[in-house]
Amino acid sequence: MNHKPVEGFSKLTKEGKTDWLVNEYLEGNVEYRKILQQYWNENPDLQKLHDEFSENTISNFYMPYGIAPNFLIDGKLFALPMAVEESSVVAAASKAAKFWLDKGGFKTTIINNEKLGHTHFIFNVESHKLLHFFNFNLKKKLLEATEDITANMRKRGGGILDIKLVDKTAEMQNYYQLKASFDTVDSMGANFINSCLEQFGKTLKQEVAISEDFSQEEKNSLQIVMNILSNFTPDCLVRAEVSCKIEDLKDDSGISNEEFAWKFKQAVTIAEIEPFRATTHNKGIMNGVDAVVIATGNDFRATEACAHAYAARNGKYSSLTHCTTDNGIFRFWIDLPISVGVVGGLTNLHPLVKFSLALLGKPSAQELMSILAVSGLAQNFGAIRSLVTTGIQKGHMKMHLLNILNQMGATEEEKQHFVTYFKDKTVSHHEVIHEFNRLRGQ
Ligand code: MEV
């Protein structure tokens, strides 16, 4: 069926939008309207708040919000808030946290905290002339022109750290960048950085126009293409690690400590050298990172993009975690570039985000970086531990069992039966259906 385009959709009320959609796309079936409406919140203020986070909102899309307790991080105990729809992620995090609890927990170090952004421009001039103009005139003017924008950030201890001129003409004709680094303290800083960069673009244009260093023809060639922060922040970097004696690496799956350490290290090395495995390995890490990123109101698309760019920084996609087993010591760590905020954005608006940050003891942005790296490392530890011992399906399917039973419309009594039935068996989709049919006499 061909659908008609709509004019002024954004101006319709929520009911109007819903009616139009149901009539145009869902054959007028009111059951679909009910699906949307059952997720509307009874509290009109809360609903309005959520509606206004985005545009053209017609309902709420719930995500499970779970807690992974017992995380000992730099000597302090945390219960991590995790917003994630995938079964067994929270369970794996909790299990890994417990494993490391009596072994000193997780240690973290902030390696650097620098954010980046660029003014990308085209200028048909000799690069030495431009460099001279940048060093002796423009740089100072860029800083002066952004003083109003940076005043508050400077009061909080941040601001523009440096601005460099980058010559990219070897890769693209007449292409240069103003590459700026920023300290945005406790905010992620996207708006701050982009405001500074847009001012850089304007100032660059103005200063070139009045400069005596360039001919009119050269001046006419200047084009500011765009001013935008980079989500690749390799120098906004945190390390999280765990270590213990190999003899203390007790695993309950029955393999020896030495074999466990050896297999674990092999699995990490495979992820370091093999991009196919590295992608899944890092996906598992991001299961842990993103769940806390979302629960704390941060931008998971940005953290994903950054992590994967970093994983490919040497020209080949590789693991974000590393492992050594030297001198009888098992050491496992992650270097995670991640730019997050604890002020601004959704942090003061979304009630569950406020809850998450309060639960974490109102961390600074750097403390949150540490917590996120730990969550990723714990998740990876849990995944590799299962992969090299029992296999991933045992734990995963146990957690997924409820999803399968819910899909089949099992009663609470039947669900209880299945939990007991699978206590010492690996859950499989086939086996659940078989037992379900037997139970119902089919
Ligand atoms: C599933 O979401 C994540 C894992 O595949 C990660 C991994 O294989 O390391 C279990």
Side-chain angles (χ1 to χ4, degrees):
M1 182 182 161
N2 279 337
H3 298 293
K4 290 191 292 296
V6 58
E7 279 289 327
F9 183 72
S10 66
K11 296 197 180 68
L12 296 175
T13 61
K14 196 189 281 189
E15 287 78 2
K17 288 186 183 80
T18 307
D19 285 347
W20 181 81
L21 279 175
V22 169
N23 290 330
E24 188 61 33
Y25 284 89
L26 301 161
E27 292 154 13
N29 186 340
V30 291
E31 290 306 313
Y32 285 110
R33 184 181 301 134
K34 284 192 201 146
I35 292 178
L36 293 177
Q37 290 179 348
Q38 74 184 346
Y39 285 99
W40 290 2
N41 198 285
E42 284 164 16
N43 174 343
D45 293 338
L46 188 63
Q47 187 53 61
K48 189 163 181 296
L49 185 73
H50 278 268
D51 286 345
E52 289 175 359
F53 286 151
S54 182
E55 305 80 35
N56 289 347
T57 41
I58 54 170
S59 191
N60 305 302
F61 193 96
Y62 287 178
M63 185 99 139
Y65 181 89
I67 297 294
N70 297 323
F71 270 90
L72 184 61
I73 306 176
D74 298 325
K76 255 167 79 178
L77 261 181
F78 290 89
L80 300 196
M82 301 182 89
V84 62
E85 85 298 348
E86 185 177 333
S87 51
S88 81
V89 168
V90 177
S94 310
K95 206 170 160 200
K98 207 155 175 206
F99 183 92
W100 288 102
L101 185 60
D102 61 359
K103 298 176 184 65
F106 298 80
K107 309 265 172 3
T108 74
T109 320
I110 301 291
I111 296 171
N112 207 343
N113 186 30
E114 221 177 85
K115 320 277 168 77
L116 295 172
H118 303 82
T119 289
H120 302 268
F121 63 102
I122 304 294
F123 201 10
N124 189 4
V125 284
E126 283 173 43
S127 48
H128 70 92
K129 254 165 73 174
L130 182 56
L131 188 62
H132 183 271
F133 167 72
F134 174 79
N135 284 334
F136 294 98
N137 180 358
L138 183 66
K139 188 168 174 177
K140 192 165 145 265
K141 293 281 167 43
L142 294 172
L143 292 170
E144 281 169 11
T146 43
E147 267 176 4
D148 285 352
I149 305 173
T150 59
N152 268 338
M153 195 59 91
R154 279 184 284 124
K155 261 188 233 152
R156 283 156 45 199
I160 299 170
L161 298 174
D162 196 12
I163 314 171
K164 288 193 170 71
L165 174 74
V166 185
D167 181 347
K168 299 290 270 186
T169 55
E171 289 164 72
M172 181 173 158
Q173 203 178 18
N174 302 327
Y175 169 35
Y176 295 91
Q177 301 170 342
L178 296 174
K179 178 180 182 185
S181 50
F182 303 84
D183 178 351
T184 59
V185 198
D186 275 336
S187 65
M188 194 244 185
N191 288 331
F192 168 73
I193 294 173
N194 288 333
S195 300
C196 290
L197 293 169
E198 288 190 1
Q199 184 57 52
F200 288 174
K202 283 185 201 145
T203 306
L204 170 61
K205 196 127 192 133
Q206 285 157 5
E207 291 302 316
V208 166
I210 57 170
S211 165
E212 290 177 359
D213 294 358
F214 308 109
S215 70
Q216 194 52 46
E217 197 182 338
E218 284 172 331
K219 288 180 183 184
N220 292 344
S221 74
L222 175 66
Q223 290 286 348
I224 312 295
V225 179
M226 57 190 162
N227 311 287
I228 187 73
L229 94 167
S230 174
N231 285 121
F232 182 36
T233 50
D235 290 321
C236 192
L237 193 66
V238 54
R239 173 169 294 177
E241 62 183 283
V242 284
S243 65
C244 71
K245 289 187 187 149
I246 290 177
E247 66 193 51
D248 294 336
L249 259 190
K250 222 183 126 32
D251 184 79
D252 49 18
S253 68
I255 69 173
S256 74
N257 299 5
E258 287 73 21
E259 190 186 350
F260 176 71
W262 182 84
K263 272 185 106 177
F264 194 103
K265 183 171 153 33
Q266 297 304 303
V268 176
T269 309
I270 289 169
E272 284 169 339
I273 61 151
E274 169 53 72
F276 281 95
R277 172 57 201 153
T279 308
T280 317
H281 178 96
N282 289 345
K283 186 275 180 187
I285 292 173
M286 298 313 283
N287 277 346
V289 176
D290 285 342
V292 183
V293 165
I294 295 171
T296 55
N298 278 285
D299 178 346
F300 66 93
R301 285 85 55 206
T303 53
E304 283 281 337
C306 186
H308 299 299
Y310 189 77
R313 71 196 179 284
N314 295 323
K316 182 176 170 187
Y317 190 84
S318 179
S319 169
L320 290 167
T321 55
H322 308 282
C323 177
T324 54
T325 51
D326 301 332
N327 307 318
I329 302 289
F330 174 87
R331 184 166 169 255
F332 180 50
W333 73 99
I334 184 169
D335 284 343
L336 185 73
I338 189 155
S339 168
V340 287
V342 293
V343 297
L346 282 193
T347 50
N348 283 327
L349 288 175
H350 195 302
L352 273 176
V353 169
K354 280 195 226 172
F355 177 87
S356 299
L357 291 172
L359 181 69
L360 294 174
K362 301 208 166 90
S364 66
Q366 296 197 9
E367 283 164 342
L368 183 57
M369 284 167 72
S370 294
I371 292 166
L372 292 165
V374 165
S375 183
L377 186 71
Q379 202 62 230
N380 193 222
F381 179 79
I384 299 178
R385 185 184 181 195
S386 299
L387 286 167
V388 302
T389 55
T390 56
I392 206 75
Q393 284 308 85
K394 189 168 180 237
H396 184 73
M397 289 305 286
K398 202 163 136 196
M399 299 298 158
H400 190 53
L401 177 61
L402 269 186
N403 288 344
I404 305 176
L405 291 172
N406 282 336
Q407 257 171 37
M408 296 175 40
T411 62
E412 286 311 310
E413 219 171 82
E414 285 167 335
K415 286 181 196 170
Q416 237 3 80
H417 166 82
F418 275 92
V419 171
T420 319
Y421 181 81
F422 281 115
K423 215 170 179 80
D424 47 14
K425 289 190 201 70
T426 300
V427 180
S428 74
H429 203 263
H430 168 84
E431 185 65 24
V432 177
I433 291 177
H434 186 264
E435 178 58 13
F436 190 78
N437 287 340
R438 194 197 61 77
L439 202 64
R440 292 210 172 169
Q442 289 163 2

